[in-house]
């Protein structure tokens, strides 16, 4: 399992929410067999843990987006909540596998689904599955990357023969050069077999 979390900048303690989600994801992953409902069960647990931390800090709301990918016996499972994304690069084509949960208004964009959402507002993250093959490349990233770079620009930076760590650094550097108005986090991975 691989994941990126992006604490919501407009809410209190977004960095705490993302840390709580990342920490509990690691603990959960160590303790479970991988199966189809793995990410759904994990998202409910993470939502609960972020809510507990919110209440412990006497806050009304804090949250984090999530983009997660799980590999299991030839299948891939994708989960996202918010505007962090999962992409697949296949045959020089970049395809977004996640769904953005945002509403655009006069005040900018608002995240409509996130970890830490109040329990009376049922968390319904986007979950999809499919097959993966050797050679597939996956990108998980926050909106600090996608708000600065178009899909075409992202494709041009990662669809090359460079090692993945170099392509990933180039992606972050390009987002920073374009303004870098938000935290930019990215994971690039390639399926070997």
């Amino acid at each position: 399992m691989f994941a990126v979390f992006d604490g919501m900048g407009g809410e209190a303690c977004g960095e705490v929410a993302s840390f709580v989600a990342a920490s509990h994801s690691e603990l959960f992953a160590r303790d479970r067999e991988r199966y189809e409902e793995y990410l759904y069960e994990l998202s409910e647990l993470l939502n609960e843990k972020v809510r507990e931390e919110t209440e412990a800090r006497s806050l009304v709301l804090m949250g984090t987006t999530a983009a997660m990918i799980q590999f299991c016996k030839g299948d891939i499972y994708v989960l996202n909540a918010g505007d962090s994304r999962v992409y697949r690069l296949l045959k020089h084509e970049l395809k977004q596998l996640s769904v953005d949960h945002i509403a655009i208004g006069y005040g900018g964009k608002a995240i409509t689904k996130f970890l830490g959402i109040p329990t009376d507002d049922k968390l319904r993250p986007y979950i999809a599955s499919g097959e993966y093959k050797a050679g597939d490349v996956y990108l998980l990233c926050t909106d600090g990357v996608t708000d600065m770079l178009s899909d075409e620009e992202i494709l041009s930076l990662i669809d090359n023969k460079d090692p993945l760590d170099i392509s990933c650094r180039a992606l972050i550097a390009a987002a920073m050069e374009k303004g870098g108005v938000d935290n930019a986090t990215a994971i690039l991975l390639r399926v070997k077999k």
Side-chain angles (χ1 to χ4, degrees), residues 12-193:
C13 299
E15 71 281 1
V16 174
S18 58
F19 179 78
V20 167
S23 300
H24 284 284
S25 292
E26 183 180 7
L27 292 172
F28 187 93
R30 284 188 202 159
D31 199 36
R32 294 286 194 284
E33 290 295 320
R34 295 183 177 190
Y35 55 92
E36 186 172 343
E37 295 298 320
Y38 179 82
L39 289 180
Y40 184 76
E41 183 181 343
L42 176 58
S43 70
E44 289 186 329
L45 172 72
L46 298 181
N47 194 63
E48 178 184 316
K49 293 298 183 184
V50 173
R51 289 297 307 151
E52 287 173 5
E53 188 67 28
T54 303
E55 290 168 14
R57 292 170 179 263
S58 301
L59 298 170
V60 174
L61 185 66
M62 75 176 178
T64 181
T65 68
M68 310 173 94
I69 190 169
Q70 171 199 348
F71 296 90
C72 180
K73 299 176 184 172
D75 293 322
I76 186 173
Y77 297 92
V78 171
L79 175 145
N80 83 287
D83 58 357
S84 291
R85 293 180 179 175
V86 178
Y87 290 93
R88 180 179 62 211
L89 173 62
L90 182 63
K91 296 180 180 176
H92 310 292
E93 187 175 325
L94 190 67
K95 180 179 180 185
Q96 183 177 337
L97 302 180
S98 55
V99 171
D100 293 339
H101 301 124
I102 57 174
I104 305 295
Y106 292 113
K109 71 176 181 179
I111 307 292
T112 58
K113 293 182 184 180
F114 55 91
L115 300 177
I117 200 162
T119 50
D120 52 342
D121 298 334
K122 183 75 171 161
L123 173 67
R124 298 189 194 285
Y126 175 77
I127 297 179
S129 63
E131 295 180 350
Y132 66 86
K133 298 183 286 305
D136 285 356
V137 173
Y138 294 92
L139 168 66
L140 292 82
C141 61
T142 64
D143 68 328
V145 173
T146 57
D147 282 354
M148 298 292 102
L149 303 172
S150 68
D151 284 2
E152 292 76 20
E153 291 170 314
I154 292 170
L155 178 62
S156 71
L157 289 163
I158 66 173
D159 188 20
N160 53 48
K161 303 235 184 259
D162 291 339
L164 293 185
D165 60 333
I166 291 174
S167 294
C168 198
R169 282 194 213 104
L171 189 66
I172 298 299
M176 293 297 105
E177 287 171 14
K178 283 274 195 119
V181 297
D182 199 356
N183 296 328
T185 302
I187 298 173
L188 260 178
L189 54 110
R190 177 180 290 114
V191 177
K192 287 195 172 182
K193 58 181 174 176

